[in-house]
Structures are given as structure tokens and as C-alpha cells.
């Protein structure tokens, strides 16, 4: 089989061979070679114990060495090429793990063969190896054939594989999104039958797989696989809940299918690396996936067969915050995604009646650094098949963005502050710091948003008028 292999892999193989040790490139890098995909980090396994190959790795890794995985038999190193690119390698002693059924963490025991090590891997497409430096291809479980067929299959019985490590079920749906493969039927049945096992996996591990799924090339297919497998019922139940039954008159669309369309459209609106929302953008993709999760809780059947979802934006924002906290996302990501969900209907009033400059300033001020993402989420959410309505919506959004651009040329909308600060208010009103100053400051901010920049004299006159009104 013809391979174009990293020269560093061959060099490292020679270094191990000189010391009498076996070394093989394994897992993702071998799979990606067959798929002609880029692979930046190189994983190896070896017959040597960590204490035996540590000196080799330290010599190889001119620019870095780490041993955080020593207790699992793993050491890592890094070197920089002449062009500045980094090559990171991790080497692990052949393993033969034994699992506790109440935990996905194996009791590590070293193995004695490459084939035995490959048998403990998650899927056949990741259970291939390339011995270095002689480049002998090792594929005991037919991984190359499965790549050609585009299927995901476990090297051993899938029930045993998922019993040993339930996170492999999440990895399966993630690989659907990343590789465009389908899950082999027996493997898919095993996942469906064993979804409860995912509950022993930490929230952080589940979150990491969801993130990788969403940042992949095909998150639409990954989300469908997550729902079809039944895993979503446990790890992200708000999404399968969107599969609302269509009413008998078919007057409202399936919210789940709508959500997948919004996700696709939002991704298409991401920009290049120099644009305002560089692809792939996790914040935008999470907001697109979760923007309508408040609909099931707010659904009401109205007269004449109509269906409403009043306040699903606000309700959904609270649900987003709760679910993302449960999945241990960081606070800033939770704040941003919940804010986008809360504001995703804000623009719709503009379509019916264009806003004043004051309303435009408020929109920009309230969205803050999320302005570009909010506009893209709003555009993505407009999935109507009525061409006339779609055109009106697009024109209104274009007009808003044009108005914002012009206003930004006149003033810094992202840094709007009242024309009088807290000290000014205290001096003019002759009051002590306290709640009154806060109320006055908020009023002057509203005045600034409504009227744009004003002179100090105009601002002082407005403050004094407000103060008299307050008594």
C-alpha cells in the first residue's frame, strides 16, 4: 500500500529500532492517511515501557516533552520544523485494559503485541497501524475495507466494547459528523440498547464530544445520529423534544427539522479567518442548535388550528443556561449562547415597522460583541419557503446593517456611555453616592440612546429636568 508518511514518523521509528523496540503509527493518523485528510498530531504505540523509551523521546523532542499520561504508559514530545510548524507525537506502551463495569476508566495493564493493542480500540477504522520505519501496514479487523464502505464498526462485539467504555457511543455519532460515515447496523442497535451506560461518563467528556461534533464538517448528520441513537434523550434531551408531532392540519413545521436547517444556514454564514465570525464558530452553532428549545414548553393551540410559541425565546434562554451548566461549559460561553437565544426574535419587529435610530442603537448596545453572530442567527432562522416573505426579510436585515454601519461612522455604538458620568451626576445634583445616582445614570444612558450624542449643557438640562420630575 502506497503511503506518504511524515518523515518524523520514520525517523522516530529508526530511533526505536536501534534500541531494539517496535514502534507503530496507530489510530487517527493512519485512518486519515487513507482518507487523504490532514492529521497534525501523531499517535504511536510501542513494545517498550515508558522508562525504556523516555530517553529516545527526549532526544527526538527538541522543543518539548511531557509525561502527564505516564501512569497510562504515555509520553509525548514536540519539535518544530524549519518552516515553524509543530509536530507533536505521543507514544504509548502496548495496552491490554480491564474495565470496571461501574467506570469507564480502565485498570491499565501492558500488553505484548500490536494486534492485541489494536483490539482494544473503539472502531475498526481506528484499529489500523503502520509499523515504522519499514511501513508495514497492519489491519487485523478490516478497517481499510470499512473506510471504503464508509461504515463505523467495533473491532470486537459492540456490546462488549460499549460496556467497557460507554463514551465510544458518543464517539460513534461524532465520527458520523467528522467523517461522513454511517454506523453499521449491529453497532447502531447496540448503542440504542445501551444508551443508559452513557450516564457513568463525566459531563466534561460528553461536552467535549458534542463540541467536536458541532465543530465538524457535518454537524447536521451528527445531530441526527445523536437523536436517532437515543443518546440525545440522555445527554441533550431538549433536542429530541423538538420533534413535535405535526398537528392534523399540518399548519406548523416540525421544529427539529427547522432547527437542523437553521444550523446549516448559520454555518453557511460563517466567515473566513479575517471575517467577523470565523468558521467554525462554536457559539453561533450552539445558538443555532438550541435557539428553539423553549418551543415545546410554550406551545399553545390557538383558534382556527393555529399554533403559538409565545415567549419561547426567553424560556429557551433559561433552558439553555441550565443545560449548558449541566454539561460544564464555561461561564462566558453559557452567557453568550443564552443571550443569543434570548435575542433571536428581536429583529422581527423591524420587518413590520423600521426602527428609529434610538432603537437601532439599543439593538447594537444590547447585543454588544454578539452583534455579528446575532444577525447571522436571525438570518439563518428565516426559513420560510414563501419567496416574497423571505425577500422582504432579507431586505430589512440588509437595511438595518446599512443603518448600523452609518451610525458607527458617526459614533462608537459599541462603547455608548451617558454624556454625564457618575461623578458629574453627583456634582450637578449635589447628592451622595447611592441608588439615586444609579437611577440617574440609567436615565441618562436611555437619553443618550434615544437622542445620540448631545452637548454637556443639553445633558445637564435633561438631568435636572429628570431630577425635578423625581421630586
Amino acid at each position: 500500500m502506497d503511503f506518504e508518511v511524515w518523515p518524523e514518523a520514520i525517523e522516530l521509528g529508526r530511533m526505536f529500532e536501534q534500541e531494539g523496540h517496535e514502534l507503530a503509527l496507530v489510530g487517527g493518523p493512519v485512518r486519515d492517511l487513507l482518507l487523504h485528510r490532514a492529521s497534525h498530531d501523531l499517535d504511536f504505540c510501542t513494545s517498550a515501557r515508558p522508562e525504556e523509551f523516555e530517553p529516545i523521546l527526549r532526544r527526538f523532542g527538541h522543543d518539548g516533552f511531557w509525561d502527564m499520561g505516564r501512569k497510562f504508559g504515555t509520553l509525548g514530545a514536540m519539535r518544530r520544523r524549519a518552516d515553524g510548524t509543530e509536530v507533536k507525537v505521543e507514544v504509548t506502551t502496548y495496552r491490554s485494559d480491564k474495565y470496571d463495569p461501574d467506570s469507564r476508566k480502565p485498570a491499565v495493564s501492558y500488553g505484548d503485541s500490536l494486534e492485541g493493542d489494536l483490539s482494544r480500540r473503539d472502531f475498526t477504522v481506528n484499529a489500523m497501524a503502520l509499523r515504522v520505519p519499514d511501513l508495514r501496514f497492519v489491519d487485523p479487523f478490516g478497517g481499510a475495507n470499512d473506510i471504503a464502505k464508509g461504515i463505523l464498526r467495533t473491532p470486537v462485539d459492540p456490546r462488549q466494547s460499549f460496556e467497557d467504555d460507554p463514551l465510544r457511543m458518543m464517539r460513534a455519532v461524532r465520527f458520523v459528523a467528522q467523517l461522513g460515515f454511517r454506523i453499521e447496523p449491529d453497532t447502531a442497535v447496540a448503542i440504542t440498547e445501551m444508551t443508559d451506560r452513557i450516564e457513568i461518563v463525566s459531563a466534561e467528556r460528553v461536552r467535549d464530544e458534542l463540541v467536536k461534533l458541532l465543530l465538524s464538517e457535518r454537524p447536521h448528520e451528527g445531530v441526527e445520529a445523536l437523536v436517532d441513537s437515543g443518546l440525545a434523550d440522555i445527554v441533550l434531551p431538549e433536542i429530541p423534544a423538538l420533534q413535535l408531532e405535526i398537528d392534523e392540519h399540518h399548519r406548523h413545521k416540525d421544529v427539529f427539522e427547522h432547527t437542523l436547517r437553521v444550523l446549516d444556514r448559520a454555518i453557511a454564514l460563517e466567515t473566513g479567518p479575517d471575517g467577523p465570525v470565523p468558521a467554525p464558530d462554536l457559539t453561533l452553532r450552539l445558538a443555532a442548535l438550541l435557539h428553539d428549545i423553549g418551543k415545546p414548553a410554550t406551545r399553545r393551540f390557538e383558534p382556527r388550528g393555529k399554533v403559538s410559541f409565545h415567549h419561547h425565546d426567553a424560556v429557551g434562554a433559561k433552558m439553555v443556561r441550565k443545560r449548558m451548566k449541566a454539561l460544564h461549559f464555561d461561564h462566558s460561553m453559557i452567557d453568550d449562547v443564552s443571550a443569543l437565544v434570548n435575542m433571536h426574535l428581536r429583529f422581527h419587529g423591524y420587518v413590520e415597522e423600521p426602527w428609529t435610530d434610538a432603537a437601532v442603537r439599543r439593538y447594537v448596545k444590547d447585543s454588544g460583541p454578539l452583534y455579528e453572530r446575532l444577525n447571522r442567527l436571525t438570518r439563518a432562522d428565516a426559513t420560510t419557503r414563501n419567496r416574497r416573505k423571505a425577500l422582504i426579510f432579507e431586505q430589512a436585515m440588509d437595511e438595518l446593517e446599512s443603518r448600523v454601519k452609518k451610525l458607527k461612522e458617526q459614533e462608537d455604538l459599541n462603547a455608548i456611555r451617558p454624556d454625564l458620568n457618575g461623578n458629574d451626576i453627583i456634582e450637578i445634583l449635589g447628592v451622595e453616592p447611592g441608588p439615586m445616582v444609579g437611577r440617574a445614570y440609567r436615565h441618562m444612558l436611555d437619553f443618550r440612546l434615544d437622542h445620540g450624542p448631545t452637548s454637556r449643557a443639553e445633558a445637564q438640562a435633561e438631568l435636572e429636568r429628570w431630577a425635578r420630575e423625581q421630586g
Side-chain angles (χ1 to χ4, degrees):
M1 192 170 290
D2 185 24
F3 291 102
E4 291 185 15
V5 180
W6 300 265
E8 293 85 0
I10 296 174
E11 177 187 348
L12 191 60
R14 289 198 180 108
M15 294 172 72
F16 271 71
E17 186 177 56
Q18 288 168 3
E19 298 294 331
H21 307 307
E22 297 178 1
L23 186 70
L25 188 68
V26 293
V30 180
R31 178 198 69 218
D32 290 342
L33 275 174
L34 295 181
L35 290 170
H36 305 289
R37 288 164 52 98
S39 189
H40 304 291
D41 300 334
L42 306 182
D43 296 325
F44 297 86
C45 64
T46 180
S47 58
R49 299 294 191 261
E51 63 274 12
E52 293 176 313
F53 68 80
E54 179 176 345
I56 302 174
L57 215 50
R58 285 187 179 276
R59 291 201 306 274
F60 172 86
H62 307 234
D63 302 297
F65 173 85
W66 57 93
D67 64 352
M68 293 85 75
R70 185 181 292 273
K71 67 179 180 180
F72 300 110
T74 301
L75 304 177
M78 184 268 286
R79 67 159 58 169
R80 290 188 183 87
R81 292 172 173 155
D83 62 3
T85 57
E86 295 180 351
V87 178
K88 295 180 181 178
V89 304
E90 286 199 339
V91 182
T92 303
T93 302
Y94 293 155
R95 295 256 296 266
S96 176
D97 299 334
K98 295 180 175 60
Y99 287 84
D100 180 338
D102 296 322
S103 171
R104 63 170 296 270
K105 295 180 180 178
V108 178
S109 59
Y110 294 136
D112 55 12
S113 72
L114 174 59
E115 287 74 10
D117 183 275
L118 295 176
S119 71
R120 51 169 286 278
R121 295 179 179 268
D122 53 6
F123 301 103
T124 60
V125 297
N126 295 327
M128 300 177 293
L130 189 64
R131 292 186 182 273
V132 287
D134 57 348
L135 302 184
R136 278 188 291 136
F137 182 58
V138 182
D139 182 17
F141 303 103
N145 189 46
D146 287 345
I147 285 179
K149 294 179 179 178
I151 63 171
L152 290 167
R153 183 171 58 87
T154 55
V156 297
D157 181 270
R159 289 153 189 82
Q160 182 61 54
S161 181
F162 301 143
E163 181 71 23
D164 287 345
D165 186 357
L167 187 63
R168 289 170 177 166
M169 297 187 290
M170 288 293 300
R171 288 170 61 84
V173 297
R174 189 246 291 181
F175 284 133
V176 168
Q178 283 187 331
L179 305 176
F181 288 6
R182 68 187 187 281
I183 303 173
E184 179 266 336
D186 194 40
T187 305
V189 169
I191 294 175
T192 301
E193 292 175 349
M194 300 179 69
T195 52
D196 289 349
R197 286 283 293 160
I198 202 67
E199 292 177 345
I200 72 168
V201 179
S202 70
E204 291 86 354
R205 290 289 187 143
V206 170
R207 176 204 62 209
D208 290 347
E209 290 299 325
L210 286 173
V211 167
K212 290 174 184 176
L213 184 158
L214 286 173
L215 294 179
S216 70
E217 296 178 8
R218 306 169 187 81
H220 179 131
E221 289 87 340
V223 173
E224 284 186 319
L226 188 69
V227 171
D228 291 344
S229 68
L231 287 167
D233 292 329
I234 297 173
V235 303
L236 200 59
E238 295 81 3
I239 299 304
L242 296 176
Q243 294 178 306
L244 300 171
E245 63 275 13
I246 302 295
D247 65 286
E248 61 185 36
H249 302 292
H250 297 272
R251 289 184 178 171
H252 71 282
K253 54 195 164 191
D254 180 280
V255 185
F256 177 65
E257 290 300 323
H258 164 75
T259 294
L260 292 179
R261 287 189 66 201
V262 172
L263 178 60
D264 290 340
R265 287 164 58 89
I267 291 170
L269 291 171
E270 292 173 342
T271 63
D274 298 325
V277 186
D281 188 82
L282 181 61
T283 304
L284 178 60
R285 295 184 183 201
L286 277 167
L289 178 65
L290 302 173
H291 78 284
D292 271 350
I293 63 172
K295 279 191 170 180
T298 58
R299 182 172 62 157
R300 298 291 181 271
F301 292 97
E302 308 289 356
R304 303 186 190 89
K306 291 186 177 181
V307 178
S308 67
F309 304 98
H310 296 307
H311 307 300
H312 76 269
D313 46 350
V315 171
K318 292 179 180 178
M319 294 171 65
V320 165
R321 187 170 290 277
K322 182 178 180 181
R323 176 54 54 193
M324 291 184 69
K325 281 184 178 179
L327 289 170
H328 294 191
F329 279 91
D330 67 71
H331 295 302
S332 61
M333 180 67 72
I334 294 172
D335 290 343
D336 287 351
V337 176
S338 59
L340 285 170
V341 171
N342 196 38
M343 291 188 290
H344 82 273
L345 296 180
R346 181 87 167 262
F347 172 76
H348 287 257
Y350 188 100
V351 180
E352 299 171 5
E353 183 178 349
W355 294 337
T356 62
D357 282 352
V360 173
R361 288 190 193 97
R362 289 179 188 279
Y363 179 81
V364 177
K365 176 72 173 176
D366 291 348
S367 57
L370 298 173
Y371 169 77
E372 293 287 352
R373 290 188 180 102
L374 178 58
N375 285 0
R376 282 162 173 74
L377 176 60
T378 302
R379 286 182 185 272
D381 192 31
T383 60
T384 178
R385 290 184 173 86
N386 184 313
R387 185 58 196 151
R388 178 177 169 276
K389 287 183 178 180
L391 185 60
I392 290 173
F393 187 92
E394 286 290 329
Q395 289 174 339
M397 179 58 83
D398 291 343
E399 179 186 301
L400 171 68
E401 291 182 340
S402 177
R403 289 179 63 187
V404 169
K405 184 178 180 181
K406 289 179 181 177
L407 282 171
K408 283 187 173 182
E409 291 172 356
Q410 301 167 14
E411 50 187 306
D412 186 356
L413 299 182
N414 293 324
I416 287 180
R417 299 289 185 274
D419 294 302
L420 300 173
N421 62 31
N423 291 331
D424 295 331
I425 291 169
I426 290 171
E427 180 183 340
I428 292 169
L429 297 184
V431 297
E432 296 293 324
M436 169 64 79
V437 177
R439 292 199 299 274
Y441 184 91
R442 288 190 291 275
H443 172 74
M444 293 308 297
L445 177 59
D446 287 339
F447 181 76
R448 169 69 176 78
L449 289 167
D450 288 340
H451 298 279
T454 60
S455 68
R456 183 179 176 86
E458 291 172 319
Q460 181 169 335
E462 173 59 24
L463 175 63
E464 291 170 344
R465 184 203 65 76
W466 176 84
R468 287 193 298 272
E469 189 178 86
Q470 300 302 305

